[in-house]
Amino acid sequence: MLATFFALGVSQLRDRTASLARVSLMPVAMTVFSVWGTFSALRTSPQFGLAVVAWLIAALLAFAVLGRGRANAQYDPTRRVFRLPGSVVPLLLVVGIFLVKYVVGVDLAMAPQLVQDTAYVLCVAALYGAFTGAFVGRAARLWRLPLGSPPAGVRLVG
């Protein structure tokens, strides 16, 4: 699984073009991975409800920070593709969320009582939420680009 995530992150180091579906795939997949990681690690915790709240707050905060501003990309309305510059950020995010899942798995295998520790539970949930917010926030900047582009075949005069 790490090799797949790593390859996905490495593929984004170089400039490329991608469709809306393609730029949406990673945030959706990483959100599912994050929710799965949170649920699988913390579902038996008495603080699971708090964990869900921490996850949501962290996701919203990261989204608010990273979803603002302009994307460092261009949208071609004729071809309906994004021109994306290469970036190390997706690789770091993918490896980061994988490492959180791995470390939490090792932690809980070695010390299952950690699911009783409120600070641990909230920290894990917030980490997963922050990664989700980061992925979705970065994608949201791209999702707004087509809204500012004229439909295919329409020329703006100005």
Side-chain angles (χ1 to χ4, degrees), residues 16-106:
R16 65 203 180 285
T17 60
S19 67
L20 178 61
R22 181 131 177 150
V23 300
S24 300
L25 182 63
M26 187 181 294
V28 169
M30 290 298 108
T31 297
V32 169
F33 191 63
S34 170
V35 169
W36 172 53
T38 303
F39 182 79
S40 67
L42 306 176
R43 73 181 176 274
T44 61
S45 173
Q47 295 88 8
F48 184 68
L50 283 175
V52 170
V53 171
W55 187 96
L56 285 169
I57 290 170
L60 289 171
L61 286 172
F63 176 83
V65 170
L66 294 172
R68 294 179 357 173
R70 297 193 54 162
N72 187 19
Q74 296 175 336
Y75 180 70
D76 180 347
T78 306
R79 294 179 47 217
R80 294 185 177 164
V81 294
F82 296 90
R83 282 185 230 130
L84 307 164
S87 174
V88 72
V89 174
L91 174 61
L92 296 174
L93 289 172
V94 166
V95 171
I97 197 169
F98 181 86
L99 288 175
V100 169
K101 178 126 178 65
Y102 177 79
V103 168
V104 168
V106 170

